[in-house]
Amino acid sequence: MNLQMEMEHHRQVLIVRFIGELDHHTADQVRMKLDEAIHSQQTNHIVLSLKDLQFMDSSGIGVILGRYKLIKSKGGKMAVCDATPPVFRLLEMSGLFKIMPIYESESDALSSLEVVS
Amino acid sequence: MSEEQVLAHNFMTLTFAAKSENESFARITVAAFISQLDPTMDELSDLKTVVSEAVTNSIIHGYDSDSTGTVTITAKIERETVTITVEDRGQGIEDLDLAKEPLYTSKPELERSGMGFTIMENFMDEFEVTSEPGVGTSIRMKKRIESKKALYK
């Protein structure tokens, strides 16, 4: 099983859609692609769109936290949206919502990030 | 034998190379085996997650990502309870209490979240780790499946 990532820029906000499974095996490609995107001039904030993420474990938490630290060090923000119930539960258990907001949809996340930027 | 008697006792064993591409294979295989108990989507997702956590631990920590090692999973069904063991012959865990602490990781440089054991403890009814440095680690977990069938009885 693989993971696909779709990336789309809305002004300074990068939307990343995950399709497939995010585990230890697929975490490396996520790390590389997102680090590259974060270091580009275009990206101030990131929205992780999780509707089609069919599986995630603690390796996914690790890679999300790592990118969160990176974007935060550049003065940016990160948000997640549209998580399925199992993924939501894992994010909640890991305390992720203490440091970043979750929205119902990409448009909710976008409008909220555009207000703060 | 009735179907119920056949299901009363069943088991599987799976041994595979400690490669990250086998993590998905391992959790899907265990999920397929357990699906005979007719678990809910949430239960199936929990079981896949704990298998993934345990196998990832064996690969990263047990074998330090050396893929010549092997991981063995057994799953046993007794009535509506499933017992899963995940074993490696890797380097073992020096300090189990420390390893079980939420957010503790021995490999922060690999961006590990330190949530593996916490997730296994939370998602399963019983959870037990035995480990000996230089010999290996064995994780044993149990969960009672509230079969969907039970809802309609």
Side-chain angles (χ1 to χ4, degrees), chain A residues 1 21-26 31 54-59 61-63 65-67 85-86 89-90 93-94, chain B residues 20-21 23-24 27-28 42 45-46 48-49 52-53 56 59-60 110-113 115-116 118-119 122-123:
Chain A
M1 189 64 188
E21 307 197 322
L22 175 48
D23 64 2
H24 164 231
H25 183 62
T26 54
R31 184 176 301 119
Q54 284 141 19
F55 177 85
M56 187 177 78
D57 62 15
S58 73
S59 300
I61 304 286
V63 78
L65 284 174
R67 308 297 68 71
R89 214 166 128 224
L90 202 77
M93 188 185 294
S94 312
Chain B
S20 68
E21 49 267 60
E23 290 157 1
S24 169
R27 63 180 178 256
I28 289 167
D42 281 355
S45 153
D46 287 359
K48 276 164 126 179
T49 309
S52 201
E53 298 297 345
T56 302
I59 294 173
I60 295 180
L110 292 184
E111 294 189 332
R112 306 308 308 165
S113 65
M115 289 299 291
T118 306
I119 289 167
N122 265 286
F123 282 7

mmCIF file of all heavy atoms in Angstrom, chain A residues 1 21-26 31 54-59 61-63 65-67 85-86 89-90 93-94, chain B residues 20-21 23-24 27-28 42 45-46 48-49 52-53 56 59-60 110-113 115-116 118-119 122-123:
data_model
loop_
_atom_site.group_PDB
_atom_site.id
_atom_site.type_symbol
_atom_site.label_atom_id
_atom_site.label_comp_id
_atom_site.label_asym_id
_atom_site.label_seq_id
_atom_site.Cartn_x
_atom_site.Cartn_y
_atom_site.Cartn_z
ATOM 1 N N MET A 1 0.853 -1.202 0.000
ATOM 2 C CA MET A 1 0.000 0.000 0.000
ATOM 3 C C MET A 1 0.874 1.231 0.000
ATOM 4 O O MET A 1 1.882 1.298 0.672
ATOM 5 C CB MET A 1 -0.896 0.002 1.240
ATOM 6 C CG MET A 1 -1.962 1.077 1.218
ATOM 7 S SD MET A 1 -3.118 0.819 -0.132
ATOM 8 C CE MET A 1 -4.060 2.322 -0.037
ATOM 9 N N GLU A 21 -1.977 5.414 2.946
ATOM 10 C CA GLU A 21 -1.619 5.032 4.305
ATOM 11 C C GLU A 21 -0.312 5.705 4.742
ATOM 12 O O GLU A 21 0.683 5.641 4.024
ATOM 13 C CB GLU A 21 -1.472 3.507 4.394
ATOM 14 C CG GLU A 21 -2.704 2.768 3.873
ATOM 15 C CD GLU A 21 -2.761 1.318 4.317
ATOM 16 O OE1 GLU A 21 -1.704 0.672 4.366
ATOM 17 O OE2 GLU A 21 -3.872 0.856 4.629
ATOM 18 N N LEU A 22 -0.355 6.334 5.895
ATOM 19 C CA LEU A 22 0.835 7.009 6.423
ATOM 20 C C LEU A 22 1.374 6.205 7.608
ATOM 21 O O LEU A 22 0.792 6.194 8.686
ATOM 22 C CB LEU A 22 0.482 8.450 6.840
ATOM 23 C CG LEU A 22 1.554 9.291 7.531
ATOM 24 C CD1 LEU A 22 2.890 9.241 6.809
ATOM 25 C CD2 LEU A 22 1.104 10.750 7.638
ATOM 26 N N ASP A 23 2.479 5.488 7.349
ATOM 27 C CA ASP A 23 3.121 4.707 8.406
ATOM 28 C C ASP A 23 4.623 4.967 8.347
ATOM 29 O O ASP A 23 5.079 5.886 7.670
ATOM 30 C CB ASP A 23 2.775 3.213 8.264
ATOM 31 C CG ASP A 23 3.305 2.587 6.965
ATOM 32 O OD1 ASP A 23 3.981 3.286 6.184
ATOM 33 O OD2 ASP A 23 3.038 1.393 6.755
ATOM 34 N N HIS A 24 5.400 4.145 9.055
ATOM 35 C CA HIS A 24 6.856 4.302 9.062
ATOM 36 C C HIS A 24 7.427 4.242 7.646
ATOM 37 O O HIS A 24 8.314 5.003 7.277
ATOM 38 C CB HIS A 24 7.435 3.191 9.960
ATOM 39 C CG HIS A 24 8.901 2.954 9.811
ATOM 40 N ND1 HIS A 24 9.424 1.706 9.587
ATOM 41 C CD2 HIS A 24 9.944 3.800 9.851
ATOM 42 C CE1 HIS A 24 10.740 1.807 9.489
ATOM 43 N NE2 HIS A 24 11.088 3.055 9.656
ATOM 44 N N HIS A 25 6.863 3.327 6.828
ATOM 45 C CA HIS A 25 7.384 3.129 5.484
ATOM 46 C C HIS A 25 7.163 4.353 4.583
ATOM 47 O O HIS A 25 8.036 4.716 3.800
ATOM 48 C CB HIS A 25 6.735 1.893 4.860
ATOM 49 C CG HIS A 25 7.256 1.573 3.495
ATOM 50 N ND1 HIS A 25 8.577 1.248 3.265
ATOM 51 C CD2 HIS A 25 6.643 1.551 2.282
ATOM 52 C CE1 HIS A 25 8.746 1.039 1.972
ATOM 53 N NE2 HIS A 25 7.594 1.218 1.365
ATOM 54 N N THR A 26 5.991 4.962 4.695
ATOM 55 C CA THR A 26 5.685 6.092 3.803
ATOM 56 C C THR A 26 6.068 7.445 4.419
ATOM 57 O O THR A 26 5.999 8.471 3.742
ATOM 58 C CB THR A 26 4.183 6.110 3.426
ATOM 59 O OG1 THR A 26 3.398 6.085 4.616
ATOM 60 C CG2 THR A 26 3.817 4.917 2.578
ATOM 61 N N ARG A 31 8.175 13.434 4.718
ATOM 62 C CA ARG A 31 9.176 14.324 5.304
ATOM 63 C C ARG A 31 9.917 15.088 4.207
ATOM 64 O O ARG A 31 10.043 16.310 4.258
ATOM 65 C CB ARG A 31 10.158 13.482 6.130
ATOM 66 C CG ARG A 31 11.206 14.294 6.881
ATOM 67 C CD ARG A 31 12.065 13.381 7.743
ATOM 68 N NE ARG A 31 11.265 12.654 8.720
ATOM 69 C CZ ARG A 31 11.157 11.328 8.793
ATOM 70 N NH1 ARG A 31 11.814 10.553 7.951
ATOM 71 N NH2 ARG A 31 10.398 10.774 9.703
ATOM 72 N N GLN A 54 -6.364 6.696 4.730
ATOM 73 C CA GLN A 54 -7.087 5.500 5.193
ATOM 74 C C GLN A 54 -6.469 4.864 6.430
ATOM 75 O O GLN A 54 -7.112 4.098 7.133
ATOM 76 C CB GLN A 54 -7.140 4.462 4.061
ATOM 77 C CG GLN A 54 -8.166 4.827 3.013
ATOM 78 C CD GLN A 54 -7.668 4.522 1.618
ATOM 79 O OE1 GLN A 54 -6.737 3.747 1.438
ATOM 80 N NE2 GLN A 54 -8.273 5.146 0.635
ATOM 81 N N PHE A 55 -5.196 5.176 6.676
ATOM 82 C CA PHE A 55 -4.541 4.599 7.854
ATOM 83 C C PHE A 55 -3.428 5.529 8.304
ATOM 84 O O PHE A 55 -2.710 6.104 7.483
ATOM 85 C CB PHE A 55 -3.956 3.217 7.525
ATOM 86 C CG PHE A 55 -3.211 2.601 8.677
ATOM 87 C CD1 PHE A 55 -3.885 1.880 9.654
ATOM 88 C CD2 PHE A 55 -1.838 2.789 8.814
ATOM 89 C CE1 PHE A 55 -3.200 1.343 10.732
ATOM 90 C CE2 PHE A 55 -1.145 2.253 9.892
ATOM 91 C CZ PHE A 55 -1.829 1.526 10.850
ATOM 92 N N MET A 56 -3.296 5.661 9.616
ATOM 93 C CA MET A 56 -2.137 6.373 10.146
ATOM 94 C C MET A 56 -1.774 5.788 11.506
ATOM 95 O O MET A 56 -2.648 5.396 12.275
ATOM 96 C CB MET A 56 -2.434 7.869 10.303
ATOM 97 C CG MET A 56 -1.189 8.631 10.693
ATOM 98 S SD MET A 56 -1.439 10.414 10.805
ATOM 99 C CE MET A 56 -2.231 10.511 12.374
ATOM 100 N N ASP A 57 -0.470 5.714 11.792
ATOM 101 C CA ASP A 57 -0.041 5.274 13.117
ATOM 102 C C ASP A 57 0.904 6.324 13.704
ATOM 103 O O ASP A 57 0.986 7.444 13.201
ATOM 104 C CB ASP A 57 0.586 3.870 13.054
ATOM 105 C CG ASP A 57 1.831 3.831 12.188
ATOM 106 O OD1 ASP A 57 2.383 4.904 11.863
ATOM 107 O OD2 ASP A 57 2.263 2.719 11.834
ATOM 108 N N SER A 58 1.627 5.965 14.761
ATOM 109 C CA SER A 58 2.416 6.977 15.465
ATOM 110 C C SER A 58 3.588 7.507 14.625
ATOM 111 O O SER A 58 4.121 8.574 14.913
ATOM 112 C CB SER A 58 2.931 6.430 16.797
ATOM 113 O OG SER A 58 3.967 5.494 16.587
ATOM 114 N N SER A 59 3.972 6.770 13.577
ATOM 115 C CA SER A 59 4.993 7.301 12.666
ATOM 116 C C SER A 59 4.469 8.555 11.968
ATOM 117 O O SER A 59 5.230 9.489 11.696
ATOM 118 C CB SER A 59 5.364 6.264 11.607
ATOM 119 O OG SER A 59 5.870 5.104 12.215
ATOM 120 N N ILE A 61 2.246 10.632 13.303
ATOM 121 C CA ILE A 61 2.284 11.684 14.331
ATOM 122 C C ILE A 61 3.680 12.312 14.366
ATOM 123 O O ILE A 61 3.825 13.537 14.404
ATOM 124 C CB ILE A 61 1.976 11.093 15.734
ATOM 125 C CG1 ILE A 61 0.633 10.369 15.745
ATOM 126 C CG2 ILE A 61 2.045 12.177 16.811
ATOM 127 C CD1 ILE A 61 -0.562 11.254 15.733
ATOM 128 N N GLY A 62 4.696 11.455 14.343
ATOM 129 C CA GLY A 62 6.075 11.936 14.397
ATOM 130 C C GLY A 62 6.411 12.861 13.244
ATOM 131 O O GLY A 62 7.007 13.919 13.433
ATOM 132 N N VAL A 63 5.996 12.478 12.044
ATOM 133 C CA VAL A 63 6.342 13.281 10.870
ATOM 134 C C VAL A 63 5.533 14.588 10.847
ATOM 135 O O VAL A 63 6.038 15.642 10.462
ATOM 136 C CB VAL A 63 6.224 12.443 9.564
ATOM 137 C CG1 VAL A 63 4.805 12.281 9.101
ATOM 138 C CG2 VAL A 63 7.048 13.058 8.457
ATOM 139 N N LEU A 65 4.498 16.209 13.598
ATOM 140 C CA LEU A 65 5.107 17.068 14.626
ATOM 141 C C LEU A 65 6.409 17.702 14.144
ATOM 142 O O LEU A 65 6.688 18.867 14.424
ATOM 143 C CB LEU A 65 5.375 16.259 15.904
ATOM 144 C CG LEU A 65 4.154 15.960 16.771
ATOM 145 C CD1 LEU A 65 4.535 15.035 17.923
ATOM 146 C CD2 LEU A 65 3.545 17.260 17.304
ATOM 147 N N GLY A 66 7.192 16.924 13.404
ATOM 148 C CA GLY A 66 8.453 17.436 12.871
ATOM 149 C C GLY A 66 8.236 18.609 11.922
ATOM 150 O O GLY A 66 8.935 19.620 11.976
ATOM 151 N N ARG A 67 7.208 18.491 11.038
ATOM 152 C CA ARG A 67 6.918 19.570 10.080
ATOM 153 C C ARG A 67 6.298 20.767 10.793
ATOM 154 O O ARG A 67 6.507 21.902 10.418
ATOM 155 C CB ARG A 67 5.955 19.104 8.975
ATOM 156 C CG ARG A 67 6.338 17.831 8.253
ATOM 157 C CD ARG A 67 7.609 17.838 7.467
ATOM 158 N NE ARG A 67 8.879 17.933 8.113
ATOM 159 C CZ ARG A 67 9.475 16.983 8.845
ATOM 160 N NH1 ARG A 67 8.878 15.872 9.127
ATOM 161 N NH2 ARG A 67 10.676 17.177 9.346
ATOM 162 N N PRO A 85 -12.747 9.256 11.542
ATOM 163 C CA PRO A 85 -12.788 8.992 12.990
ATOM 164 C C PRO A 85 -11.541 8.297 13.558
ATOM 165 O O PRO A 85 -11.028 8.740 14.594
ATOM 166 C CB PRO A 85 -14.045 8.145 13.163
ATOM 167 C CG PRO A 85 -14.931 8.574 12.026
ATOM 168 C CD PRO A 85 -14.014 8.870 10.880
ATOM 169 N N PRO A 86 -10.998 7.232 12.918
ATOM 170 C CA PRO A 86 -9.797 6.606 13.508
ATOM 171 C C PRO A 86 -8.586 7.548 13.542
ATOM 172 O O PRO A 86 -7.843 7.568 14.519
ATOM 173 C CB PRO A 86 -9.505 5.413 12.590
ATOM 174 C CG PRO A 86 -10.723 5.201 11.790
ATOM 175 C CD PRO A 86 -11.467 6.487 11.737
ATOM 176 N N ARG A 89 -9.036 10.131 16.258
ATOM 177 C CA ARG A 89 -8.798 9.567 17.583
ATOM 178 C C ARG A 89 -7.299 9.503 17.901
ATOM 179 O O ARG A 89 -6.873 9.792 19.015
ATOM 180 C CB ARG A 89 -9.381 8.155 17.604
ATOM 181 C CG ARG A 89 -9.946 7.801 18.941
ATOM 182 C CD ARG A 89 -10.788 6.561 18.821
ATOM 183 N NE ARG A 89 -10.350 5.610 19.816
ATOM 184 C CZ ARG A 89 -10.179 4.324 19.572
ATOM 185 N NH1 ARG A 89 -10.363 3.845 18.366
ATOM 186 N NH2 ARG A 89 -9.810 3.526 20.543
ATOM 187 N N LEU A 90 -6.521 9.106 16.912
ATOM 188 C CA LEU A 90 -5.079 9.001 17.103
ATOM 189 C C LEU A 90 -4.450 10.381 17.327
ATOM 190 O O LEU A 90 -3.591 10.554 18.194
ATOM 191 C CB LEU A 90 -4.459 8.329 15.873
ATOM 192 C CG LEU A 90 -3.112 7.682 16.114
ATOM 193 C CD1 LEU A 90 -3.270 6.365 16.829
ATOM 194 C CD2 LEU A 90 -2.381 7.479 14.804
ATOM 195 N N MET A 93 -5.429 11.478 20.839
ATOM 196 C CA MET A 93 -4.689 10.752 21.872
ATOM 197 C C MET A 93 -3.258 11.271 21.999
ATOM 198 O O MET A 93 -2.675 11.296 23.078
ATOM 199 C CB MET A 93 -4.664 9.257 21.515
ATOM 200 C CG MET A 93 -4.096 8.370 22.587
ATOM 201 S SD MET A 93 -3.966 6.675 22.018
ATOM 202 C CE MET A 93 -5.675 6.261 21.833
ATOM 203 N N SER A 94 -2.702 11.712 20.888
ATOM 204 C CA SER A 94 -1.323 12.194 20.892
ATOM 205 C C SER A 94 -1.209 13.642 21.361
ATOM 206 O O SER A 94 -0.109 14.175 21.440
ATOM 207 C CB SER A 94 -0.739 12.091 19.485
ATOM 208 O OG SER A 94 -1.010 10.832 18.950
ATOM 209 N N SER B 20 10.475 -2.189 6.222
ATOM 210 C CA SER B 20 9.332 -1.301 6.447
ATOM 211 C C SER B 20 8.184 -1.551 5.469
ATOM 212 O O SER B 20 7.023 -1.343 5.798
ATOM 213 C CB SER B 20 9.773 0.165 6.403
ATOM 214 O OG SER B 20 10.174 0.517 5.095
ATOM 215 N N GLU B 21 8.529 -2.035 4.252
ATOM 216 C CA GLU B 21 7.441 -2.291 3.300
ATOM 217 C C GLU B 21 6.552 -3.455 3.739
ATOM 218 O O GLU B 21 5.472 -3.645 3.189
ATOM 219 C CB GLU B 21 7.952 -2.506 1.863
ATOM 220 C CG GLU B 21 9.087 -3.475 1.704
ATOM 221 C CD GLU B 21 10.448 -2.770 1.747
ATOM 222 O OE1 GLU B 21 10.744 -2.137 2.789
ATOM 223 O OE2 GLU B 21 11.202 -2.875 0.767
ATOM 224 N N GLU B 23 5.299 -3.654 6.821
ATOM 225 C CA GLU B 23 4.408 -3.181 7.894
ATOM 226 C C GLU B 23 2.950 -3.228 7.452
ATOM 227 O O GLU B 23 2.065 -3.689 8.191
ATOM 228 C CB GLU B 23 4.789 -1.747 8.294
ATOM 229 C CG GLU B 23 6.123 -1.676 9.036
ATOM 230 C CD GLU B 23 6.797 -0.302 8.965
ATOM 231 O OE1 GLU B 23 6.233 0.623 8.360
ATOM 232 O OE2 GLU B 23 7.896 -0.174 9.520
ATOM 233 N N SER B 24 2.714 -2.753 6.237
ATOM 234 C CA SER B 24 1.360 -2.737 5.691
ATOM 235 C C SER B 24 0.847 -4.171 5.488
ATOM 236 O O SER B 24 -0.276 -4.505 5.869
ATOM 237 C CB SER B 24 1.384 -1.963 4.377
ATOM 238 O OG SER B 24 0.200 -2.124 3.684
ATOM 239 N N ARG B 27 -0.114 -5.723 8.987
ATOM 240 C CA ARG B 27 -1.376 -5.303 9.626
ATOM 241 C C ARG B 27 -2.595 -5.732 8.820
ATOM 242 O O ARG B 27 -3.638 -6.071 9.380
ATOM 243 C CB ARG B 27 -1.374 -3.797 9.910
ATOM 244 C CG ARG B 27 -1.293 -2.895 8.703
ATOM 245 C CD ARG B 27 -1.293 -1.413 9.100
ATOM 246 N NE ARG B 27 -1.160 -0.595 7.916
ATOM 247 C CZ ARG B 27 -0.032 0.024 7.535
ATOM 248 N NH1 ARG B 27 1.042 -0.048 8.286
ATOM 249 N NH2 ARG B 27 -0.001 0.727 6.429
ATOM 250 N N ILE B 28 -2.450 -5.770 7.472
ATOM 251 C CA ILE B 28 -3.583 -6.192 6.636
ATOM 252 C C ILE B 28 -3.843 -7.690 6.802
ATOM 253 O O ILE B 28 -4.975 -8.137 6.863
ATOM 254 C CB ILE B 28 -3.329 -5.815 5.155
ATOM 255 C CG1 ILE B 28 -3.444 -4.294 5.002
ATOM 256 C CG2 ILE B 28 -4.297 -6.521 4.222
ATOM 257 C CD1 ILE B 28 -2.913 -3.758 3.690
ATOM 258 N N ASP B 42 -14.107 0.240 13.642
ATOM 259 C CA ASP B 42 -13.249 0.829 14.668
ATOM 260 C C ASP B 42 -12.317 -0.217 15.280
ATOM 261 O O ASP B 42 -11.134 0.034 15.479
ATOM 262 C CB ASP B 42 -14.084 1.461 15.787
ATOM 263 C CG ASP B 42 -14.627 2.819 15.384
ATOM 264 O OD1 ASP B 42 -14.260 3.293 14.278
ATOM 265 O OD2 ASP B 42 -15.414 3.394 16.146
ATOM 266 N N SER B 45 -9.655 -1.154 12.807
ATOM 267 C CA SER B 45 -8.686 -0.076 12.681
ATOM 268 C C SER B 45 -7.735 -0.046 13.896
ATOM 269 O O SER B 45 -6.526 0.137 13.751
ATOM 270 C CB SER B 45 -9.457 1.229 12.509
ATOM 271 O OG SER B 45 -8.720 2.302 12.962
ATOM 272 N N ASP B 46 -8.285 -0.285 15.096
ATOM 273 C CA ASP B 46 -7.441 -0.354 16.301
ATOM 274 C C ASP B 46 -6.419 -1.480 16.186
ATOM 275 O O ASP B 46 -5.242 -1.312 16.514
ATOM 276 C CB ASP B 46 -8.300 -0.618 17.552
ATOM 277 C CG ASP B 46 -9.098 0.610 17.968
ATOM 278 O OD1 ASP B 46 -8.969 1.648 17.301
ATOM 279 O OD2 ASP B 46 -9.839 0.510 18.960
ATOM 280 N N LYS B 48 -5.265 -2.963 13.477
ATOM 281 C CA LYS B 48 -4.256 -2.651 12.469
ATOM 282 C C LYS B 48 -3.214 -1.689 13.040
ATOM 283 O O LYS B 48 -2.010 -1.832 12.780
ATOM 284 C CB LYS B 48 -4.907 -1.991 11.252
ATOM 285 C CG LYS B 48 -5.481 -2.972 10.245
ATOM 286 C CD LYS B 48 -6.414 -2.210 9.352
ATOM 287 C CE LYS B 48 -6.185 -2.297 7.902
ATOM 288 N NZ LYS B 48 -7.185 -1.533 7.155
ATOM 289 N N THR B 49 -3.689 -0.714 13.800
ATOM 290 C CA THR B 49 -2.764 0.279 14.353
ATOM 291 C C THR B 49 -1.782 -0.359 15.332
ATOM 292 O O THR B 49 -0.576 -0.114 15.244
ATOM 293 C CB THR B 49 -3.541 1.424 15.050
ATOM 294 O OG1 THR B 49 -4.520 1.917 14.150
ATOM 295 C CG2 THR B 49 -2.610 2.556 15.460
ATOM 296 N N SER B 52 0.794 -2.412 13.552
ATOM 297 C CA SER B 52 1.729 -1.508 12.891
ATOM 298 C C SER B 52 2.736 -0.921 13.887
ATOM 299 O O SER B 52 3.937 -0.845 13.604
ATOM 300 C CB SER B 52 0.928 -0.383 12.223
ATOM 301 O OG SER B 52 1.674 0.224 11.217
ATOM 302 N N GLU B 53 2.257 -0.533 15.061
ATOM 303 C CA GLU B 53 3.142 0.032 16.093
ATOM 304 C C GLU B 53 4.187 -0.995 16.538
ATOM 305 O O GLU B 53 5.376 -0.698 16.635
ATOM 306 C CB GLU B 53 2.342 0.477 17.321
ATOM 307 C CG GLU B 53 1.322 1.582 17.085
ATOM 308 C CD GLU B 53 1.935 2.899 16.639
ATOM 309 O OE1 GLU B 53 3.166 3.073 16.773
ATOM 310 O OE2 GLU B 53 1.184 3.754 16.143
ATOM 311 N N THR B 56 6.687 -1.839 13.692
ATOM 312 C CA THR B 56 7.590 -0.701 13.491
ATOM 313 C C THR B 56 8.638 -0.647 14.602
ATOM 314 O O THR B 56 9.827 -0.410 14.350
ATOM 315 C CB THR B 56 6.785 0.621 13.449
ATOM 316 O OG1 THR B 56 5.822 0.538 12.399
ATOM 317 C CG2 THR B 56 7.688 1.809 13.180
ATOM 318 N N ILE B 59 11.327 -3.216 13.938
ATOM 319 C CA ILE B 59 12.215 -2.834 12.838
ATOM 320 C C ILE B 59 13.169 -1.715 13.255
ATOM 321 O O ILE B 59 14.383 -1.816 13.080
ATOM 322 C CB ILE B 59 11.373 -2.404 11.604
ATOM 323 C CG1 ILE B 59 10.604 -3.611 11.054
ATOM 324 C CG2 ILE B 59 12.263 -1.786 10.530
ATOM 325 C CD1 ILE B 59 9.618 -3.282 9.943
ATOM 326 N N ILE B 60 12.615 -0.667 13.848
ATOM 327 C CA ILE B 60 13.433 0.515 14.154
ATOM 328 C C ILE B 60 14.301 0.313 15.391
ATOM 329 O O ILE B 60 15.486 0.626 15.389
ATOM 330 C CB ILE B 60 12.536 1.750 14.364
ATOM 331 C CG1 ILE B 60 11.825 2.104 13.067
ATOM 332 C CG2 ILE B 60 13.353 2.939 14.864
ATOM 333 C CD1 ILE B 60 10.917 3.301 13.187
ATOM 334 N N LEU B 110 15.091 10.399 14.639
ATOM 335 C CA LEU B 110 14.272 9.823 13.570
ATOM 336 C C LEU B 110 12.842 10.351 13.622
ATOM 337 O O LEU B 110 11.954 9.830 12.946
ATOM 338 C CB LEU B 110 14.258 8.289 13.671
ATOM 339 C CG LEU B 110 15.560 7.546 13.377
ATOM 340 C CD1 LEU B 110 15.323 6.037 13.420
ATOM 341 C CD2 LEU B 110 16.119 7.923 12.017
ATOM 342 N N GLU B 111 12.608 11.356 14.476
ATOM 343 C CA GLU B 111 11.276 11.945 14.626
ATOM 344 C C GLU B 111 10.243 10.909 15.046
ATOM 345 O O GLU B 111 9.109 10.907 14.551
ATOM 346 C CB GLU B 111 10.837 12.638 13.344
ATOM 347 C CG GLU B 111 11.681 13.835 13.013
ATOM 348 C CD GLU B 111 11.115 14.659 11.871
ATOM 349 O OE1 GLU B 111 10.428 14.097 11.017
ATOM 350 O OE2 GLU B 111 11.387 15.867 11.864
ATOM 351 N N ARG B 112 10.634 10.035 15.939
ATOM 352 C CA ARG B 112 9.647 9.116 16.486
ATOM 353 C C ARG B 112 8.809 9.883 17.496
ATOM 354 O O ARG B 112 9.324 10.724 18.230
ATOM 355 C CB ARG B 112 10.338 7.921 17.182
ATOM 356 C CG ARG B 112 11.346 7.164 16.321
ATOM 357 C CD ARG B 112 10.795 6.751 14.999
ATOM 358 N NE ARG B 112 9.541 6.020 15.127
ATOM 359 C CZ ARG B 112 8.718 5.800 14.111
ATOM 360 N NH1 ARG B 112 8.979 6.267 12.920
ATOM 361 N NH2 ARG B 112 7.608 5.124 14.305
ATOM 362 N N SER B 113 7.510 9.577 17.551
ATOM 363 C CA SER B 113 6.639 10.365 18.426
ATOM 364 C C SER B 113 6.669 9.878 19.877
ATOM 365 O O SER B 113 6.243 10.578 20.777
ATOM 366 C CB SER B 113 5.203 10.312 17.901
ATOM 367 O OG SER B 113 4.705 8.998 17.983
ATOM 368 N N MET B 115 4.859 7.443 20.968
ATOM 369 C CA MET B 115 3.470 7.123 21.322
ATOM 370 C C MET B 115 3.118 5.654 21.113
ATOM 371 O O MET B 115 2.001 5.233 21.402
ATOM 372 C CB MET B 115 2.516 7.990 20.496
ATOM 373 C CG MET B 115 2.492 9.449 20.887
ATOM 374 S SD MET B 115 1.965 9.682 22.591
ATOM 375 C CE MET B 115 0.231 9.209 22.433
ATOM 376 N N GLY B 116 4.062 4.874 20.593
ATOM 377 C CA GLY B 116 3.766 3.484 20.227
ATOM 378 C C GLY B 116 3.169 2.656 21.352
ATOM 379 O O GLY B 116 2.070 2.118 21.219
ATOM 380 N N THR B 118 1.980 3.662 24.211
ATOM 381 C CA THR B 118 0.774 4.310 24.740
ATOM 382 C C THR B 118 -0.449 3.932 23.895
ATOM 383 O O THR B 118 -1.526 3.624 24.428
ATOM 384 C CB THR B 118 0.950 5.846 24.734
ATOM 385 O OG1 THR B 118 2.149 6.151 25.424
ATOM 386 C CG2 THR B 118 -0.218 6.547 25.394
ATOM 387 N N ILE B 119 -0.263 3.919 22.575
ATOM 388 C CA ILE B 119 -1.358 3.547 21.673
ATOM 389 C C ILE B 119 -1.743 2.083 21.880
ATOM 390 O O ILE B 119 -2.918 1.744 21.975
ATOM 391 C CB ILE B 119 -0.957 3.827 20.201
ATOM 392 C CG1 ILE B 119 -0.923 5.344 19.966
ATOM 393 C CG2 ILE B 119 -1.892 3.136 19.220
ATOM 394 C CD1 ILE B 119 -0.251 5.769 18.680
ATOM 395 N N ASN B 122 -3.708 1.733 25.057
ATOM 396 C CA ASN B 122 -5.035 2.338 24.956
ATOM 397 C C ASN B 122 -5.991 1.545 24.079
ATOM 398 O O ASN B 122 -7.183 1.485 24.358
ATOM 399 C CB ASN B 122 -4.911 3.748 24.365
ATOM 400 C CG ASN B 122 -4.842 4.797 25.437
ATOM 401 O OD1 ASN B 122 -5.841 5.112 26.064
ATOM 402 N ND2 ASN B 122 -3.651 5.305 25.688
ATOM 403 N N PHE B 123 -5.492 0.970 23.008
ATOM 404 C CA PHE B 123 -6.370 0.324 22.039
ATOM 405 C C PHE B 123 -6.701 -1.124 22.405
ATOM 406 O O PHE B 123 -7.630 -1.685 21.851
ATOM 407 C CB PHE B 123 -5.741 0.361 20.633
ATOM 408 C CG PHE B 123 -5.867 1.699 19.939
ATOM 409 C CD1 PHE B 123 -6.377 2.800 20.605
ATOM 410 C CD2 PHE B 123 -5.492 1.842 18.611
ATOM 411 C CE1 PHE B 123 -6.491 4.032 19.964
ATOM 412 C CE2 PHE B 123 -5.612 3.066 17.959
ATOM 413 C CZ PHE B 123 -6.108 4.164 18.635
#
